[in-house]
Amino acid sequence: MSQATLHVLQTCPFSWKVRGLIEHLGLDVDEVQVNAMRTKKELAFTNGWNKVPVFTDNDGEVVVDSTPIMVYIDEKYNDGVLSDNSGNERYDSMLAHVDEAWKRATIPILYGSLGAALSTTRRVSKLEKFGFISRRLYAWAGFPIMWGIIARKRVKKDGRTPKKLWHDLLTEYTSSFDGHAYFGGVEPNLVDFAAFGYMRSISPFKQFKLLEEHELGMKWYKSMERQLK
Ligand SMILES: N[C@@H](CCC(=O)N[C@@H](CS)C(=O)NCC(=O)O)C(=O)O
C-alpha cells in the first residue's frame, strides 16, 4: 500500500471536480501540484496522457481523465453509490451535458473581456506553480493570448454574455431537480459533483460574483459546499 495522490493544476476545472469528490468522501489523498510549464515532464508516468488531474490509488494504479477518475473513486471507495444511476438516460445525458457545456463556459467567464482576462491571468500566475521567470511571463503575456484568441471567439459565437451563459446553465440545471435539493435527489450524485467542480473552479476569481447572483444556483452550490468534509 502506498499513499494515494492526485496530480493537479491549482486552477484547472477538471482537477476541481475530483478534488470535491475526494473532500466529500474524506479520503486521504495527497495533492501534488504540477508546474504549469512542465506538465509533460512531471506527468511522464501517464504514458502520453500528460494532462491533469491524474489519480494514483494506494495500489499504484494510475487513472486519468476527470469523469472516469470520479467513477473509479466512487466505485473503489464508496460502493459506487454516487454513480448508481449510471446507464439511466436522465443521468447519462446530464453528465455528458455538464462535461460539455459547463466545461465550455469556464473560459468565457474567466477571459471573455480584456479586464477579466487580465485579472484572471494575474491570479492564475499567483496560484499556479511556475518558475520565477515563467510566472512573470505568463502574467503579462498569457492574458492577451487567452483573451484575444480563445475567449473572444467563443463569446462571439455563443452570442450571450458569459454571465447570461452561466445563468442559463444554472437555471436549466436547477430546473431538473424535480423539487429536490440536488440533481441526484435528496442526496447529491456524481453529476452534482461534476457540475459543482466546474462552478467551484471559478470561485478563486472575482468573476464568481456574477454567478453568485443566480439565487437557485447558489442555493444548490452552498448545499454542495456543506457536503465537503
Ligand atoms: N478531459 C480531461 C481534460 C484535462 C485537461 O485538459 N487538463 C488541462 C488543465 S485544465 C491540462 O492538463 N492541460 C495540460 C496540457 O494539455 O498539456 C479531464 O476531464 O480530465
Side-chain angles (χ1 to χ4, degrees):
M1 290 285 261
S2 52
Q3 175 64 41
T5 56
L6 183 69
H7 283 73
V8 298
L9 280 168
Q10 196 58 36
T11 57
C12 166
F14 313 105
S15 300
W16 277 104
K17 284 165 65 188
V18 179
R19 182 183 282 149
L21 177 59
I22 287 172
E23 287 176 60
H24 169 63
L25 298 176
L27 302 179
D28 178 19
V29 176
D30 279 353
E31 256 194 26
V32 182
Q33 206 176 327
V34 170
N35 180 322
M37 297 291 165
R38 293 163 55 94
T39 47
K40 205 168 168 189
K41 211 166 185 175
E42 294 187 15
L43 300 171
F45 68 97
T46 61
N47 295 329
W49 177 257
N50 297 341
K51 290 180 194 166
V52 292
V54 177
F55 179 66
T56 308
D57 75 9
N58 324 77
D59 303 313
E61 173 93 14
V62 175
V63 191
V64 298
D65 207 358
S66 55
T67 293
I69 295 173
M70 292 174 83
V71 172
Y72 181 87
I73 289 178
D74 180 48
E75 277 170 3
K76 176 150 183 165
Y77 303 97
N78 192 38
D79 293 330
V81 169
L82 296 172
S83 33
D84 208 25
N85 283 321
S86 168
N88 152 325
E89 160 64 18
R90 176 178 176 270
Y91 173 101
D92 288 352
S93 62
M94 187 58 97
L95 183 56
H97 172 68
V98 164
D99 268 338
E100 185 51 38
W102 291 50
K103 172 184 86 180
R104 292 188 63 77
T106 57
I107 297 275
I109 192 96
L110 293 178
Y111 298 93
S113 71
L114 187 59
L118 184 54
S119 84
T120 297
T121 314
R122 285 218 185 120
R123 185 106 182 90
V124 168
S125 81
K126 287 197 179 110
L127 292 171
E128 293 295 357
K129 196 167 156 187
F130 284 103
F132 181 79
I133 304 286
S134 56
R135 181 182 307 280
R136 279 155 185 80
L137 255 178
Y138 179 83
W140 295 105
F143 91 88
I145 298 171
M146 290 303 280
W147 175 66
I149 303 169
I150 312 171
R152 227 170 37 166
K153 233 193 230 164
R154 236 181 243 189
V155 172
K156 219 170 144 185
K157 195 170 160 209
D158 186 81
R160 287 171 289 183
T161 62
K163 175 183 165 183
K164 174 85 169 84
L165 168 59
W166 269 95
H167 280 226
D168 286 352
L169 289 175
L170 287 168
T171 300
E172 171 197 47
Y173 189 67
T174 51
S175 313
S176 72
F177 289 3
D178 295 333
H180 295 296
Y182 304 101
F183 178 78
V186 180
E187 299 291 337
N189 67 9
L190 198 115
V191 180
D192 288 298
F193 280 100
F196 176 63
Y198 287 115
M199 185 161 166
R200 198 176 174 209
S201 75
I202 314 295
S203 69
F205 302 95
K206 67 177 190 194
Q207 292 91 320
F208 192 69
K209 67 176 185 297
L210 300 172
L211 311 191
E212 285 177 328
E213 291 168 25
H214 193 284
E215 201 185 337
L216 285 178
M218 275 318 281
K219 193 174 163 207
W220 162 79
Y221 183 86
K222 292 226 174 312
S223 328
M224 288 301 293
E225 278 184 325
R226 287 193 291 274
Q227 294 287 331
L228 307 176
K229 286 180 184 144

